[in-house]
Amino acid sequence: MDVLALKDVFYQYEGANRAVLQGVSAGFEAGRVYTIVGKSGSGKSTMLSLIAGLDVCGGGEILYGGADLSRIDRDKYRAKGIGVIFQGFNLITNATAIQNIVLSMNISGSLERDKKAYAYGLLDQMGIDRETAERTILKLSGGEQQRVGIARALAHNPNIIIADEPTGNLDKETEAEILKIFSSLAHEEGKCVIIVTHSTKVSEIADVILGIRNGQVSVVRERTH
C-alpha cells in the first residue's frame, strides 16, 4: 500500500518551453528508502517540492493516504504528515539545538506534555547529548547540525521523511553515520524515506532508486521485499 503516490504528474515552470516533469507516476511505501537521481536540472528538486506540498502540479495527482494534495490543507500536511531535511540544515543559528526542536513542535501543534523532554529524547537518538543540545547551532559541527535537522524533521512524528542532498556538506565518515539513521528510520521505524541525491553512497542504502531523465521517472534498481 502506497503512503504517497504520483499519478501522471506534469509540471512546467512559467516561461519555460517544456515541462520539467512529463507524466510522472511513482509509488512510495512505508518502511522503504527511496533515492531520486538524475542530472542537474532534470527535475529532482521539483519533484521533491511537489511531494513536500510547496507547490502544486500542473496536471495529474499527488496522493497522500489517497487524498489529492491539491485539495487538502497543505500547511497541515507539511506540519504533520511529512518531515523535511535540507542540505543547508535551515536551522535557527542563534538558537540552541533543543530550542530548534521545541519550536518545531510548537509550530506543528504537538500535543506532547513535556516538549523539552521529548526533544532531548529525539536528539539522544540522533547521537546528540544534553551538553551539545544546549549549544547554539553556530557552535555545532556540520554533522551535528544535520543530526539536529533530522531530529527536527521527526519532532511531529511524520510517516514520510524527505531530504534534499542531506549529506552534500558532510565528510565521508559523517555521511555514513547519517545514512545509518535514514536506514533505521525506514527499516526499524517504518517510515517512508525519500532522498534526492547525487551521491552513489546514499543510493547504496536505497530499497528503490528512481531516475529522472527527459521529464520521465523510471526505476533504476529495486530490492525485493
Side-chain angles (χ1 to χ4, degrees):
M1 175 77 179
D2 292 337
V3 66
L4 185 83
L6 280 67
K7 295 193 174 182
D8 201 27
V9 168
F10 283 80
Y11 188 87
Q12 184 166 340
Y13 288 101
E14 189 174 346
N17 293 325
R18 53 180 286 180
V20 64
L21 299 178
Q22 303 173 28
V24 167
S25 294
F28 300 91
E29 299 177 5
R32 307 195 89 188
V33 177
Y34 297 81
T35 57
I36 302 172
V37 300
K39 293 180 179 178
S40 295
S42 62
K44 301 187 303 297
S45 293
T46 301
M47 185 170 162
L48 209 64
S49 70
L50 293 173
I51 290 171
L54 297 172
D55 206 344
V56 292
C57 51
E61 295 178 314
I62 299 178
L63 304 174
Y64 170 67
D68 189 338
L69 284 190
S70 67
R71 298 180 182 179
I72 65 173
D73 184 340
R74 294 200 310 282
D75 288 335
K76 185 177 180 181
Y77 165 69
R78 287 193 297 272
K80 298 184 180 296
I82 63 167
V84 183
I85 300 160
F86 304 91
Q87 178 180 355
F89 314 134
N90 284 28
L91 299 166
I92 301 171
T93 56
N94 62 350
T96 63
I98 197 75
Q99 287 170 340
N100 269 270
I101 308 303
V102 171
L103 177 61
S104 178
M105 293 175 72
N106 288 336
I107 291 171
S108 68
S110 170
L111 298 178
E112 287 290 334
R113 288 187 176 182
D114 191 339
K115 292 182 176 65
K116 201 166 185 180
Y118 185 80
Y120 277 126
L122 278 176
L123 288 168
D124 183 62
Q125 288 176 36
M126 296 301 115
I128 299 289
D129 60 28
R130 288 209 171 203
E131 181 185 346
T132 307
E134 295 292 349
R135 293 182 196 159
T136 60
I137 296 302
L138 288 171
K139 294 181 179 178
L140 302 181
S141 69
E144 288 169 337
Q145 288 186 43
Q146 191 57 292
R147 290 169 190 268
V148 175
I150 296 171
R152 180 186 60 184
L154 294 171
H156 52 282
N157 195 28
N159 54 5
I160 300 173
I161 298 291
I162 64 174
D164 192 1
E165 297 286 1
T167 63
N169 292 331
L170 306 178
D171 60 60
K172 289 182 179 179
E173 183 178 347
T174 306
E175 177 183 51
E177 293 169 355
I178 295 298
L179 293 181
K180 284 181 183 178
I181 292 173
F182 283 129
S183 184
S184 174
L185 288 172
H187 302 143
E188 295 178 26
E189 298 188 31
K191 298 188 183 298
C192 174
V193 178
I194 306 169
I195 307 171
V196 160
T197 186
H198 284 102
S199 167
T200 54
K201 279 289 183 187
V202 175
S203 283
E204 284 176 8
I205 71 163
D207 299 294
V208 181
I209 302 174
L210 299 174
I212 299 186
R213 185 178 180 183
N214 298 326
Q216 301 286 323
V217 169
S218 60
V219 175
V220 176
R221 190 203 75 208
E222 180 172 8
R223 289 195 182 110
T224 55
H225 287 282

